[in-house]
Amino acid sequence: MGFSASLVLFVLALAGSSTLAAAQPHGKHARVHGRHARALKERYMVTELTTVWTTIQSTPSSYPLPTAGGSPPEVKDIKVDAPTPTNPPKKDDKKDDKDKKKDTSDSDTSNTNKGHDSNENTGREFKDGAIPCSKFPSDYGAMELPWHTKDGWSGIQYNGGNADNEGVCKEGSLCSYACPPGFSKAQWPSDQPASGESHGGLLCKGGVLTLTRPDCKYLCEPGAGGISVKNELSKVVAVCRTDYPGSENMVVPLQCDPGTEKPLTAPDADSPTAYKWKGGATSAQYYVNNAGVSVKEGCLWGKEGGEVGNWAPYIFGAGKKGGKIWISVSKNPNNSKPANFNVSIVGGVGGKKCECIMGVCQDGGAGCTVTVEPGQKAYYRMWE
Ligand SMILES: *[C@@H]1O[C@H](CO)[C@@H](O)[C@H](O)[C@H]1NC(C)=O
Ligand SMILES: CC(=O)N[C@H]1CO[C@H](CO)[C@@H](O)[C@@H]1O
């Protein structure tokens, strides 16, 4: 029950990642022209990766599963000595947010290599149909990625193809955007392609940006909370989320500076309005680069055989399903080189050991998953 649901969750998460890797070999143009092939591969990868995660399931002793209606076997509280990641503000706090200062100057600053923690605009309702498509909506919490596309969009889908190269949100396109740490993009059309590809973002219609999920008035929505990434290294780590549903570009940055702890979004698949892929729950997928790679250098489609973006050494997965938060770490199957740091998940139900040391992850190298009770905290410790 609870577990098989989680299995589906992470199967999809990993399938997504491999698909991304599969889609990449020849760079951006290949993606534009190879979309049909990519959708077929996606189905194939899901099957293949089911096997991997079934292997993990066969070690039930290390998986204290939630018991129906009862309390979990053991819950370990973690002491967080570094700044505690604050839970993202609830949407119903928006009145407070409105009273707070509005730093709209953000959109004028291309602070390419500074942090991305500003979320003071996420609580503002989007002015549907009032903003020209030429204006990136940073006033509503979206985070501009000036190094990725001309106008800062995280992905532009146009007429069944990808228009990232043009970089502008032209008439008839779906324009996707990054959200700050702790948040996920909240806009995607309910009408998704039958091919298995996904669509996401705002629609440029009649020259203005329109909501694709009009029952949600916000551009970004908070995740389950309580999950973070703690960088104990002396160098920055670029954690790159795939833009999903959407282009699946791994460009949504979480810049983890040395000595900091940053919230990692675990999207809530229990929410009745959560994005579903072919009826199943989905989770967030993060490519984690070697220490020392900046978000600008690391949060992109990498080159085959390279070590950044979809070729980064580690993959993190996070999501909430069945009343639990599930977080995972695995080695990117496409990158056989060890990472230049170790990862250990700290906290979670039963204090289960889940780590990658010297480039080798738990459970025969496939990776491992930890459950976390909502309201509890757990973090990915990055250390050497
Ligand atoms: C990772 O952990 C192992 C075991 O403690 C240690 O020998 C190694 O130096 C650490 N660092 C890296 C980069 O793997
Ligand atoms: C080097 C390497 O392993 N590349 C692989 C990346 O992933 C795709 C899809 O799984 C493979 O086709 C590549 O061979």
Side-chain angles (χ1 to χ4, degrees):
M1 25 137 276
F3 191 72
S4 61
S6 71
L7 192 65
V8 171
L9 180 73
F10 284 100
V11 164
L12 280 181
L14 280 176
S17 73
S18 296
T19 306
L20 293 173
Q24 172 48 16
H26 309 292
K28 267 191 179 177
H29 288 287
R31 276 192 294 127
V32 176
H33 302 300
R35 296 186 79 77
H36 191 65
R38 176 177 163 197
L40 295 174
K41 274 185 200 150
E42 185 155 18
R43 249 168 271 138
Y44 171 69
M45 295 310 289
V46 169
T47 314
E48 188 177 76
L49 281 156
T50 302
T51 315
V52 172
W53 290 98
T54 305
T55 309
I56 292 173
Q57 193 183 19
S58 71
T59 54
S61 58
S62 53
Y63 278 87
L65 297 179
T67 48
S71 51
E74 195 190 335
V75 175
K76 190 183 169 199
D77 263 311
I78 333 158
K79 289 190 193 75
V80 184
D81 45 13
T84 310
T86 48
N87 282 334
K90 290 250 165 55
K91 291 303 187 189
D92 46 20
D93 289 336
K94 61 182 181 278
K95 280 221 172 77
D96 293 347
D97 283 358
K98 273 177 183 157
D99 295 337
K100 283 181 201 152
K101 70 172 164 66
K102 285 170 197 159
D103 187 6
T104 47
S105 65
D106 265 3
S107 47
D108 303 320
T109 325
S110 34
N111 51 351
T112 329
N113 275 312
K114 282 169 80 188
H116 296 281
D117 283 334
S118 159
N119 57 17
E120 49 210 69
N121 288 333
T122 50
R124 300 180 69 197
E125 285 191 14
F126 185 68
K127 291 203 177 66
D128 196 11
I131 319 268
C133 301
S134 57
K135 177 152 171 51
F136 186 84
S138 35
D139 291 351
Y140 303 91
M143 253 172 41
E144 228 174 327
L145 306 178
W147 60 84
H148 179 63
T149 59
K150 186 167 169 288
D151 281 358
W153 302 100
S154 59
I156 300 162
Q157 296 176 301
Y158 179 75
N159 199 17
N162 175 303
D164 290 4
N165 288 347
E166 290 171 56
V168 296
C169 186
K170 65 181 172 187
E171 186 66 23
S173 52
L174 275 170
C175 303
S176 191
Y177 49 86
C179 286
F183 288 79
S184 301
K185 178 179 69 191
Q187 295 297 321
W188 62 84
S190 55
D191 187 16
Q192 293 283 330
S195 65
E197 268 184 65
S198 66
H199 281 171
L202 294 163
L203 178 67
C204 178
K205 192 175 157 192
V208 290
L209 298 171
T210 57
L211 293 174
T212 48
R213 194 182 146 212
D215 52 325
C216 177
K217 304 290 179 207
Y218 304 97
L219 297 194
C220 299
E221 58 188 357
I227 310 300
S228 58
V229 178
K230 189 176 182 186
N231 183 354
E232 296 181 1
L233 308 164
S234 57
K235 290 177 177 163
V236 70
V237 175
V239 176
C240 313
R241 181 175 179 179
T242 54
D243 182 10
Y244 185 73
S247 64
E248 302 186 27
N249 293 332
M250 56 300 299
V251 297
V252 177
L254 177 63
Q255 178 174 316
C256 299
D257 291 310
T260 63
E261 184 167 352
K262 294 285 178 74
L264 188 84
T265 315
D268 186 359
D270 287 335
S271 156
T273 57
Y275 174 75
K276 290 197 165 41
W277 187 76
K278 302 210 172 218
T282 62
S283 60
Q285 187 74 26
Y286 298 89
Y287 286 93
V288 183
N289 288 273
N290 272 313
V293 176
S294 71
V295 294
K296 193 177 165 180
E297 298 163 327
C299 294
L300 42 68
W301 287 87
K303 290 198 185 73
E304 181 160 17
E307 289 180 54
V308 298
N310 49 321
W311 300 85
Y314 290 127
I315 296 172
F316 294 174
K320 178 169 167 274
K321 176 74 185 151
K324 308 277 173 196
I325 298 164
W326 305 80
I327 56 176
S328 69
V329 57
S330 59
K331 190 76 176 64
N332 184 347
N334 247 342
N335 180 344
S336 57
K337 291 181 201 136
N340 67 5
F341 63 92
N342 297 320
V343 177
S344 307
I345 293 180
V346 181
V349 175
K352 187 196 160 206
K353 191 171 169 180
C354 177
E355 57 190 16
C356 300
I357 308 286
M358 307 290 282
V360 179
C361 296
Q362 214 87 45
D363 293 330
C368 44
T369 304
V370 165
T371 57
V372 183
E373 290 285 311
Q376 297 268 304
K377 289 190 169 76
Y379 62 89
Y380 290 85
R381 177 182 170 227
M382 306 196 286
W383 56 284
E384 54 191 354

